[in-house]
Amino acid sequence: MRRILLITISLSSSLFGKDQESILPVFRESCVRCHGENGKVKGKLNLLEIASVAELKKDPERLQKIIEAIDFQEMPPEDEPQLKAGVRTQLLADLEMLRHESVSGTKAYAATPIRRMNRFQYNNAVTDLFDLNCVVFTLPERMLREHKDYFQPQTRRMPSTVYVGSRPLGKSQLIEDRLDGVAAFPQDLRAEHGFDNQADHLSLSPLLMEAFLTLGQSITQSPDFTAKSVGIWKTFFEVPSKNQDTKSEVRLRLEPFLNKAFRKPVEAKLLDRYTGHVLRQLDAGVVFEDAMKSIAAAAIASPRFLYLYDKSASSEAAETIDDFELASRLSFFLWGSLPDETLLGLAAKGELHKTAVLEAQFERMMKDRKLKRFCDSFPSQWLQLERIISSIPDKDKFPDFYFSKYRASMHMMLEPLLLFEAILIENKPVTQLVDSDFTYRSLLLERNYEELALGKLPNNANVNEVTRLEFKRTPVTDRRSGGVITNAAVMTMTSGPDRTKPITRGAWIASVIFNNPPKPPPADVPPLNEKPAAGEENLTLRERLSMHRERADCRGCHEQIDPLGFALENYDPVGRWRTQYENDRDVDMQGTLFRKHPFNSVIDFKDAILAEKDRFTRALAGHLLTFALARELGPADQIALDHIAQATAKDSYKFQTLIKQVVLSEPFQTKTTPKLAEASGAAKR
């Protein structure tokens, strides 16, 4: 892969010398005019302050910032003298080698702070712990509702027709089997350019802790919490027979229950405490069923259940996590829930960390229906699809977007999610996410795409479905369709009521596809008006925006994101194809990706991205690793991303290979938690 090649170049035939001592002369020749000279310090990066390569080596964060700017062709700016191709290649190779040396010495990764389960994980964990045949409470953030159990990953094939529901359909879509009388706690906030499972966003306030105590009681006291809905009822809640010793039976039932709830073997003292509580209640006249409900409610309100954390390590360097930590990390990544008995059993034997065993468990988990939880959480957040909920195109301009009291967005959001599920289950190359040869469409979507429709609507077709939606697998014969980039959901949610927003679309591509989010715009930059100002009626959108980017502090980001956004300008605010604006001016979408891949059509643009498929694969690996570790990635993680992407490329870029390589990576299997003793102690109480 490119990065491995660059390091090889640096080791074998360095232009700058094996100690990278010519890095600083290149900085001073080409970079300091904007980063240090005459008090000018763009991006808060003063390269004149760096006295030696050894000093730069001690600051991996600054190294990472420099590498990204050069790698994404953001620096030098377009209006500055450019580095010669060979110089740029060698400079990047030497900087990456320097970063490798910088982080390999300490072998320390960013620590994931102790955090609580988010709402999605809590729902799943309680469901699995009690083996419920319903959900605990309805989750509006679960955007796609499954009908007729179409999701069967063990078959390695998605059906040609699926029946689904959609969150914006209203309250009818929230009607499902759940525990009566149980209210969900507030939805967790997403981290910026991240996910709702990020540790630094999942604190546990005293008020929320009190809510969890109440929630635990409401779950076990729900009128629906009965033998009919609780799978472990007979083995946990049912009254023991008269010939059984009650004390022994309580302890015997509590041990496996607490082992699963706390994701590791429960200590004898803690087991004694829980057993003693039940026995005291029984002695006080509480019926057996209620006593066990009480202790179950206490368990799911315990910090041991609610908190996700790694045990303290013995040094500042990264250490391998133990098998129980690995079981939890694996299950919360792929299933959003507790490890099952198989994972815990292998962890107890000390076998889970063995590569062959871990790979076998990965394969098993990928075939389990609980993988649907990964599909219900990762792709919608990765693609930022929740933004379409607030998309309101102008009703006069786009009347077909509305029908009855609903919006076409309820169909739009499901197309990329179903495509994601199919590519994952069928283990297709991740490049299909960019340019797929199939998609899933409803009749309403086919109508709304107009020129981009892939099939012919039958006569008298009822396109206005509002309860259970039928989506059919459809071959993509027109490459203007297909993939997650050019679907109507993304086009609509990155537009305003009246016009497209190329800057927003470009920022989405940079963030989602290349994992390189642009900096927020300066606070004093006014947004471009939805409608042209007087005298601008005959300008194209590109011409209007060109005046908007004249500010020097705006130019750098616009050079990065404008070509990405204008590449999609042929798609109107609801994803339909157009070649002209309302003022009869032709749409101008041509541009260049990373200053080296020119494109004159959206098909050229897809080809340009596919020419950078290693970069896309690495970017997706970064999103997955961030989701898996519940933290932002640091410089040390970048080396792992190189290895993950390289291994995926060797296996024809298969999606499941990419996820498996995340699981096998060093950051996934290690921890850097030297100062968590107090936090871990709190979690034991």
Side-chain angles (χ1 to χ4, degrees):
M1 258 189 37
R2 185 187 61 83
R3 275 184 167 76
I4 303 301
L5 176 62
L6 290 179
I7 292 174
T8 303
I9 291 172
S10 184
L11 288 171
S12 60
S13 57
S14 176
L15 278 169
F16 299 144
K18 60 184 178 181
D19 294 324
Q20 303 99 18
E21 288 299 335
S22 292
I23 289 175
L24 299 188
V26 174
F27 285 171
R28 293 189 171 94
E29 179 181 345
S30 303
C31 308
V32 296
R33 281 188 296 276
C34 297
H35 297 282
E37 276 187 358
N38 302 318
K40 191 177 183 180
V41 183
K42 285 190 173 182
K44 299 179 181 179
L45 179 64
N46 189 340
L47 296 178
L48 283 179
E49 290 180 343
I50 303 173
S52 66
V53 170
E55 180 183 323
L56 181 59
K57 183 177 173 180
K58 293 177 182 178
D59 192 346
E61 285 76 17
R62 181 160 53 175
L63 253 175
Q64 181 63 26
K65 187 176 181 180
I66 295 170
I67 288 170
E68 288 177 353
I70 296 172
D71 185 27
F72 282 96
Q73 299 278 347
E74 295 168 10
M75 295 295 157
E78 290 180 349
D79 55 357
E80 293 287 338
Q82 298 297 301
L83 297 173
K84 294 181 180 179
V87 173
R88 175 186 286 277
T89 299
Q90 191 61 54
L91 175 63
L92 187 58
D94 283 351
L95 286 169
E96 292 191 336
M97 177 59 68
L98 197 64
R99 180 184 61 191
H100 188 281
E101 295 170 0
S102 174
V103 299
S104 61
T106 58
K107 277 291 182 183
Y109 296 97
T112 302
I114 185 171
R115 77 268 187 205
R116 61 170 171 81
M117 295 183 198
N118 65 19
R119 188 165 77 168
F120 183 79
Q121 294 165 340
Y122 179 90
N123 194 320
N124 295 334
V126 172
T127 299
D128 292 347
L129 181 62
F130 294 115
D131 191 19
L132 300 176
N133 63 7
C134 62
V135 298
V136 180
F137 41 68
T138 292
L139 294 167
E141 58 265 37
R142 189 158 55 87
M143 303 182 79
L144 189 155
R145 311 287 173 181
E146 181 186 10
H147 292 283
K148 293 190 175 183
D149 294 333
Y150 74 80
F151 189 86
Q152 300 292 336
Q154 76 280 4
T155 66
R156 303 281 187 172
R157 181 71 181 173
M158 278 274 281
S160 57
T161 300
V162 298
Y163 295 92
V164 290
S166 174
R167 170 183 168 184
L169 283 170
K171 291 183 179 180
S172 64
Q173 288 298 302
L174 302 181
I175 297 174
E176 56 187 329
D177 291 334
R178 61 184 186 272
L179 296 178
D180 185 37
V182 179
F185 57 94
Q187 185 174 348
D188 303 287
L189 297 177
R190 278 190 60 192
E192 186 177 6
H193 308 306
F195 304 93
D196 67 2
N197 70 343
Q198 300 298 283
D200 56 359
H201 283 60
L202 292 171
S203 59
L204 187 60
S205 67
L207 190 62
L208 189 54
M209 185 69 236
E210 185 177 345
F212 276 119
L213 292 170
T214 303
L215 181 57
Q217 293 290 336
S218 70
I219 289 170
T220 58
Q221 296 303 316
S222 169
D224 296 323
F225 195 86
T226 63
K228 185 178 179 180
S229 60
V230 179
I232 66 167
W233 188 272
K234 187 173 182 179
T235 58
F236 190 80
F237 294 103
E238 192 172 275
V239 179
S241 62
K242 292 182 179 180
N243 62 348
Q244 291 177 309
D245 178 68
T246 302
K247 180 178 180 180
S248 299
E249 187 64 20
V250 168
R251 188 180 182 87
L252 190 64
R253 295 185 184 192
L254 277 173
E255 186 170 10
F257 177 81
L258 294 176
N259 287 348
K260 186 170 184 178
F262 300 158
R263 285 93 70 190
K264 62 182 179 180
V266 62
E267 301 93 333
K269 286 184 179 180
L270 188 62
L271 181 57
D272 289 341
R273 224 163 68 213
Y274 274 79
T275 303
H277 177 79
V278 175
L279 295 177
R280 284 191 296 273
Q281 285 199 304
L282 294 175
D283 290 341
V286 178
V287 299
F288 185 86
E289 176 187 307
D290 290 342
M292 295 301 282
K293 283 184 176 180
S294 174
I295 204 66
I300 60 176
S302 165
R304 283 177 168 265
F305 177 77
L306 297 173
Y307 277 121
L308 302 173
Y309 63 94
D310 298 321
K311 292 186 296 185
S312 296
S314 58
S315 71
E316 296 286 334
E319 293 184 0
T320 302
I321 56 179
D322 69 31
D323 278 25
F324 289 105
E325 292 169 324
L326 180 57
S328 283
R329 194 172 285 188
L330 188 60
S331 64
F332 276 96
F333 174 34
L334 297 179
W335 289 348
S337 183
L338 311 172
D340 64 4
E341 287 78 5
T342 301
L343 289 174
L344 292 175
L346 289 169
K349 294 177 183 177
E351 296 181 355
L352 185 58
H353 70 280
K354 297 176 181 178
T355 301
V357 175
L358 184 59
E359 288 185 346
Q361 288 307 300
F362 173 82
E363 297 295 335
R364 177 181 73 88
M365 296 176 74
M366 293 296 289
K367 295 176 183 177
D368 195 288
R369 266 187 51 81
K370 284 188 282 190
L371 184 66
K372 186 68 170 68
R373 296 164 177 176
F374 174 78
C375 295
D376 282 340
S377 54
F378 176 79
S380 60
Q381 294 187 72
W382 167 51
L383 297 172
Q384 303 174 13
L385 284 177
E386 74 278 0
R387 293 165 58 176
I388 201 172
I389 303 298
S390 58
S391 296
I392 308 177
D394 184 270
K395 286 188 177 183
D396 294 328
K397 283 188 174 183
F398 310 104
D400 287 344
F401 186 81
Y402 299 90
F403 59 99
S404 185
K405 59 181 180 180
Y406 303 107
R407 305 176 198 164
S409 53
M410 68 191 229
H411 288 245
M412 290 176 177
M413 69 167 62
L414 302 182
E415 182 181 4
L417 294 177
L418 290 169
L419 178 66
F420 181 96
E421 290 183 355
I423 293 171
L424 175 63
I425 287 177
E426 298 174 9
N427 199 17
K428 291 181 176 292
V430 295
T431 50
Q432 287 266 324
L433 291 166
V434 174
D435 189 27
S436 66
D437 56 12
F438 72 97
T439 190
Y440 279 85
R441 294 260 181 95
S442 66
L443 292 178
L444 182 140
L445 268 182
E446 286 286 61
R447 184 195 70 183
N448 278 26
Y449 273 113
E450 293 185 350
E451 182 179 334
L452 297 179
L454 299 170
K456 186 176 180 181
L457 290 180
N459 293 332
N460 302 319
N462 177 23
V463 301
N464 298 335
E465 296 177 280
V466 296
T467 51
R468 191 179 65 184
L469 314 181
E470 181 182 76
F471 273 67
K472 289 184 178 292
R473 187 172 181 135
T474 308
V476 171
T477 55
D478 184 341
R479 289 182 63 208
R480 294 177 297 173
S481 296
V484 300
I485 296 174
T486 56
N487 67 79
V490 172
M491 297 301 97
T492 302
M493 74 187 195
T494 54
S495 298
D498 293 289
R499 66 168 180 85
T500 57
K501 293 186 175 181
I503 296 174
T504 303
R505 288 180 174 180
W508 185 89
I509 292 283
S511 302
V512 173
I513 302 303
F514 296 118
N515 204 0
N516 184 39
K519 301 179 185 68
D524 59 343
V525 176
L528 187 69
N529 292 329
E530 281 289 318
K531 297 180 180 180
E536 296 182 357
E537 296 87 354
N538 292 321
L539 299 180
T540 65
L541 189 52
R542 188 189 288 267
E543 290 168 343
R544 290 176 62 202
L545 280 171
S546 67
M547 298 185 290
H548 187 70
R549 61 180 285 188
E550 286 303 312
R551 285 180 46 155
D553 53 350
C554 296
R555 193 174 302 127
C557 280
H558 278 285
E559 288 175 357
Q560 173 197 357
I561 62 178
D562 283 8
L564 305 178
F566 277 108
L568 306 175
E569 190 61 6
N570 281 115
Y571 302 91
D572 77 1
V574 293
R576 297 177 308 192
W577 186 260
R578 64 182 179 184
T579 57
Q580 290 184 325
Y581 293 109
E582 291 177 332
N583 61 8
D584 295 329
R585 294 288 303 277
D586 290 341
V587 171
D588 178 13
M589 58 73 60
Q590 63 183 352
T592 304
L593 180 65
F594 302 136
R595 302 187 192 175
K596 60 180 178 179
H597 302 293
F599 53 83
N600 294 296
S601 70
V602 73
I603 296 174
D604 290 345
F605 181 59
K606 286 186 174 181
D607 286 336
I609 296 176
L610 293 176
E612 296 282 342
K613 59 180 177 290
D614 289 337
R615 188 188 296 272
F616 168 65
T617 303
R618 190 180 187 278
L620 182 54
H623 286 298
L624 287 163
L625 191 58
T626 297
F627 182 78
L629 299 179
R631 64 165 173 82
E632 288 187 21
L633 303 186
D637 298 300
Q638 306 306 313
I639 297 169
L641 292 182
D642 291 338
H643 293 314
I644 292 169
Q646 182 186 33
T648 305
K650 286 182 178 178
D651 194 26
S652 303
Y653 299 91
K654 291 180 180 177
F655 200 174
Q656 292 189 21
T657 300
L658 174 60
I659 299 175
K660 180 168 70 174
Q661 290 303 318
V662 169
V663 169
L664 296 177
S665 70
E666 187 173 273
F668 190 88
Q669 298 193 33
T670 60
K671 61 185 177 184
T672 307
T673 53
K675 298 178 182 179
L676 273 183
E678 292 182 7
S680 296
K684 291 178 181 179
R685 292 195 289 273

